[in-house]
C-alpha cells in the first residue's frame, strides 16, 4: 500500500527538509517518487511512526540479551546504565539463586514494558496537544506525534553508546561484518559480470553483463536472501573443493 511504502521510506522522518533537497536522495527513491509521490517533506502516518519506535525497542533490548549470551559483556557492566542497571539489579535481588539466563530474560521483558509504557504516555500527551483531525494533520505536524519522553530518549542514547562501544565495534562482530561484506561483494560482482549463473527466473529479468539492468536484478536477488542462503550460495559458486 502507499502507506506502507511511505512508512518504509520515511522510517526516520521526512527526507526533504531544510538544507536537503530531493536531488540529494538515493536515485531509487527519487525515481519512485516521480512515478508515485510519497510526500517526502512530510512525516509518515501514525502506524508507521509506531512501527519505527517498536523496532527501536526490540532492537536495543534484544541486543542486550544477545551481547550477554555471546559473552561480549557481563551483567556487571550494565550497572551504571540508567534504567537498565536498575532493572537488572531489581530482578536479581527479587530472584536470588535463579539461573542467570532466566533473570536476564525477565530483566529484558521489564525493560521492554517500561519503554512501551513511556512511549504510550508521551504519545498520548503529544496527541492531546496537537489534536490532529486527520492523517494530513499528522504529516504536517512539524514533528513526530509518536515518541519517547525526553528522559527516555536520554537513557536510550546512553544505551546505544554502550552497545556501540561494547558490542557493535567488538572485534568478533567486526570479523563477522567483514566476512558478510566479502560474501555480498563476491556475489554481486559475479552476478553482474556473469548473469548466466543467476537462476532462470532472475536471469530472464537481467540484461547484458555489466549493465544497469543486471545490477538491479543482482541487488534484488541478493536482498531477498537469508543469511544462511547467502552463505550457501557463496559456497556453491566459489568453493572449488567439490571439483577436486
Amino acid at each position: 500500500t502507499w502507506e506502507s511504502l511511505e512508512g518504509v521510506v520515511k522510517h526516520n522522518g521526512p527526507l526533504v527538509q531544510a538544507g536537503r533537497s530531493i536531488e540529494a536522495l538515493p536515485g531509487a527513491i527519487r525515481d519512485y517518487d516521480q512515478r508515485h509521490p510519497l510526500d517526502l517533506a512530510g512525516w509518515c502516518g501514525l502506524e508507521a511512526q509506531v512501527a519505527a519506535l517498536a523496532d527501536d525497542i526490540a532492537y536495543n533490548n534484544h541486543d542486550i540479551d544477545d551481547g550477554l549470551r555471546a559473552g561480549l559483556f557481563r551483567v556487571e557492566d550494565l550497572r551504571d546504565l540508567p534504567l537498565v542497571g536498575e532493572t537488572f539489579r531489581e530482578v536479581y535481588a527479587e530472584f536470588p539463586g535463579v539461573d542467570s539466563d532466566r533473570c536476564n530474560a525477565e530483566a529484558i521483558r521489564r525493560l521492554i514494558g517500561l519503554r512501551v509504557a513511556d512511549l504510550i504516555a508521551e504519545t498520548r500527551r503529544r496527541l492531546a496537544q496537537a489534536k490532529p483531525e486527520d492523517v494530513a494533520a499528522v504529516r504536517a505536524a512539524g514533528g513526530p506525534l509518536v515518541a519517547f519522553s525526553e528522559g527516555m530518549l536520554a537513557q536510550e542514547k546512553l544505551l546505544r553508546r554502550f552497545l556501540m562501544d561494547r558490542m557493535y565495534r567488538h572485534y568478533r562482530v567486526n570479523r563477522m561484518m567483514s566476512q558478510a561484506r566479502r560474501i555480498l561483494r563476491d556475489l554481486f560482482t559475479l552476478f553482474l559480470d556473469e548473469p548466466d549463473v543467476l537462476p532462470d527466473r532472475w536471469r530472464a529479468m537481467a540484461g547484458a553483463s555489466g549493465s544497469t539492468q543486471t545490477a538491479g536484478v543482482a541487488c534484488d536477488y541478493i536482498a531477498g536472501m537469508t543469511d544462511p542462503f547467502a552463505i550457501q550460495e557463496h559456497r556453491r559458486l566459489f568453493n572449488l573443493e567439490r571439483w577436486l
Side-chain angles (χ1 to χ4, degrees):
T1 65
W2 186 91
E3 288 79 7
S4 296
L5 291 169
E6 179 208 29
V8 171
V9 169
K10 296 190 286 189
H11 186 78
N12 294 316
L15 296 185
V16 178
Q17 303 178 62
R20 186 180 188 187
S21 67
I22 193 169
E23 285 73 24
L25 299 178
I29 295 177
R30 293 199 312 271
D31 293 344
Y32 188 86
D33 186 64
Q34 289 179 356
R35 300 195 305 272
H36 192 186
L38 292 172
D39 186 18
L40 299 179
W43 291 84
C44 55
L46 292 175
E47 294 89 347
Q49 291 185 35
V50 169
L53 293 186
D55 182 53
D56 287 347
I57 291 173
Y59 191 96
N60 291 331
N61 287 287
H62 286 294
D63 276 357
I64 297 174
D65 191 33
D66 290 343
L68 290 170
R69 289 178 182 276
L72 301 179
F73 49 82
R74 303 168 301 161
V75 171
E76 291 76 13
D77 299 323
L78 301 169
R79 64 178 181 273
D80 294 329
L81 285 174
L83 190 64
V84 175
E86 299 161 14
T87 302
F88 271 85
R89 284 194 296 272
E90 176 186 274
V91 169
Y92 272 81
E94 187 174 341
F95 302 105
V98 173
D99 179 80
S100 61
D101 285 344
R102 297 185 66 182
C103 284
N104 294 346
E106 173 62 17
I108 298 297
R109 187 188 70 82
R110 294 187 186 187
L111 285 170
I112 291 173
L114 289 169
R115 288 183 167 86
V116 169
D118 180 270
L119 179 64
I120 292 172
E122 178 63 16
T123 298
R124 282 177 171 162
R125 187 189 71 79
R126 294 191 180 203
L127 288 171
Q129 185 178 55
K131 296 183 174 63
E133 294 184 358
D134 52 31
V135 70
V138 171
R139 293 192 173 94
L145 296 181
V146 179
F148 293 116
S149 66
E150 289 296 323
M152 185 61 74
L153 280 175
Q155 293 171 352
E156 285 288 283
K157 184 176 180 180
L158 292 173
L159 173 58
R160 284 195 293 268
R161 185 183 304 165
F162 173 87
L163 292 171
M164 181 63 70
D165 293 339
R166 299 298 298 270
M167 184 174 180
Y168 306 144
R169 291 176 178 166
H170 195 283
Y171 82 92
R172 284 163 54 191
V173 176
N174 288 339
R175 287 183 177 184
M176 288 187 289
M177 293 296 292
S178 174
Q179 189 176 45
R181 282 193 297 269
R182 281 180 276 124
I183 288 173
L184 295 179
R185 187 184 301 114
D186 287 347
L187 290 174
F188 176 78
T189 301
L190 178 62
F191 297 146
L192 180 64
D193 293 342
E194 302 178 40
D196 287 343
V197 303
L198 285 163
D200 290 343
R201 184 168 70 89
W202 294 92
R203 174 66 189 94
M205 294 185 287
S209 173
S211 68
T212 301
Q213 181 178 348
T214 298
V217 170
C219 285
D220 288 344
Y221 179 50
I222 294 170
M225 295 180 181
T226 62
D227 292 351
F229 184 85
I231 293 169
Q232 282 297 108
E233 188 78 332
H234 190 272
R235 286 174 179 163
R236 283 191 288 264
L237 292 165
F238 289 92
N239 187 352
L240 301 180
E241 291 182 4
R242 59 183 295 187
W243 304 109
L244 298 179

